[in-house]
Amino acid sequence: GAGVSQSPSNKVTEKGKDVELRCDPISGHTALYWYRQSLGQGLEFLIYFQGNSAPDKSGLPSDRFSAERTGGSVSTLTIQRTQQEDSAVYLCASSWRAGGSYNEQFFGPGTRLTVL
Amino acid sequence: TQLLEQSPQFLSIQEGENLTVYCNSSSVFSSLQWYRQEPGEGPVLLVTVVTGGEVKKLKRLTFQFGDARKDSSLHITAAQPGDTGLYLCAGVQAALIFGKGTTLSVSS
């Protein structure tokens, strides 16, 4: 596609359930990023993938959060045993590669997660 | 730890007014970016500043990077309702470190 796509656009779940959020990056982009945007905390980095290198997981808030990227393209962010504080908009972005002063990241529209 | 502080957090002005948004950091960044985000969409890059003291202009928007590369400002001249949105500064590392943003509302 022309841009980064994410699905679903909205997800409502009950506390304690697991959820999977999907990201399709721009074709050819080797770097993929996940961010979380909430009212109180702004936009926070979660994890990024660069090519076949091990992902940088330094932003993941707990071990309930994990992500994988298959075939260097599509990525899935999984949140296990969801809590109400997980409610936020989850944004995915991609770029030609990670790093570099002019690294432009292209963002998807986000998935709005609501945990009841 | 929040490394980038943006101010003001909210700004509501009339069409035609000028405004400045500030982004301050306790850390030095190799570069800093400004993004604009509209409701229901992801942020979109406006500009990247790299050199200390650098000034970049994008139509009515002027971006400046501090000499020490720890702070930046965004100045909008003669704001228009179409400028309404969330403005985010971001320090560039492998990932981006964002400030909390400035919500701008311009009314006609």
Side-chain angles (χ1 to χ4, degrees), chain B residues 14-27:
Chain B
Q14 295 289 318
E15 181 177 4
E17 293 185 27
N18 302 331
L19 67 113
T20 301
V21 177
Y22 299 93
C23 177
N24 294 292
S25 171
S26 56
S27 304

Side-chain angles (χ1 to χ4, degrees), chain A residues 33 35 37 39-45 48 56 91 98-110 112, chain B residues 2 30-31 33 35 37 40-45 48 50 54 56 86 88 92-100:
Chain A
Y33 314 79
Y35 296 88
Q37 188 170 29
L39 281 176
Q41 297 300 319
L43 225 159
E44 303 170 281
F45 161 71
Y48 85 85
D56 180 339
L91 291 162
S101 297
Y102 290 96
N103 181 25
E104 178 176 5
Q105 296 186 18
F106 296 83
F107 285 81
R112 180 174 295 279
Chain B
Q2 186 70 32
S30 61
S31 64
Q33 296 180 329
Y35 286 79
Q37 184 178 20
E41 299 180 6
V44 175
L45 179 67
T48 302
V50 178
E54 182 176 9
K56 282 191 173 179
L86 175 65
L88 297 154
V92 179
Q93 298 178 345
L96 297 175
I97 307 300
F98 283 93
K100 290 190 177 182

Side-chain angles (χ1 to χ4, degrees), chain B residues 3-4 11 14-15 21 23 31 33-34 36-39 46 59 68 73 79-82 85 89 95 100 103:
Chain B
L3 297 179
L4 284 172
L11 198 52
Q14 295 289 318
E15 181 177 4
V21 177
C23 177
S31 64
Q33 296 180 329
W34 285 90
R36 178 168 170 243
Q37 184 178 20
E38 299 195 44
L46 295 174
K59 296 183 180 179
S73 64
Q80 299 178 0
C89 67
K100 290 190 177 182
T103 300

Side-chain angles (χ1 to χ4, degrees), chain A residues 34 36 45-48 56-67 77-78:
Chain A
W34 284 97
R36 177 171 71 174
F45 161 71
L46 297 176
I47 185 172
Y48 85 85
D56 180 339
K57 305 178 182 180
S58 60
L60 294 179
S62 78
D63 58 8
R64 297 186 295 106
F65 288 72
S66 63
L77 177 69
T78 301

Side-chain angles (χ1 to χ4, degrees), chain B residues 50-61:
Chain B
V50 178
T51 306
E54 182 176 9
V55 176
K56 282 191 173 179
K57 293 191 175 184
L58 186 64
K59 296 183 180 179
R60 294 176 292 99
L61 278 60

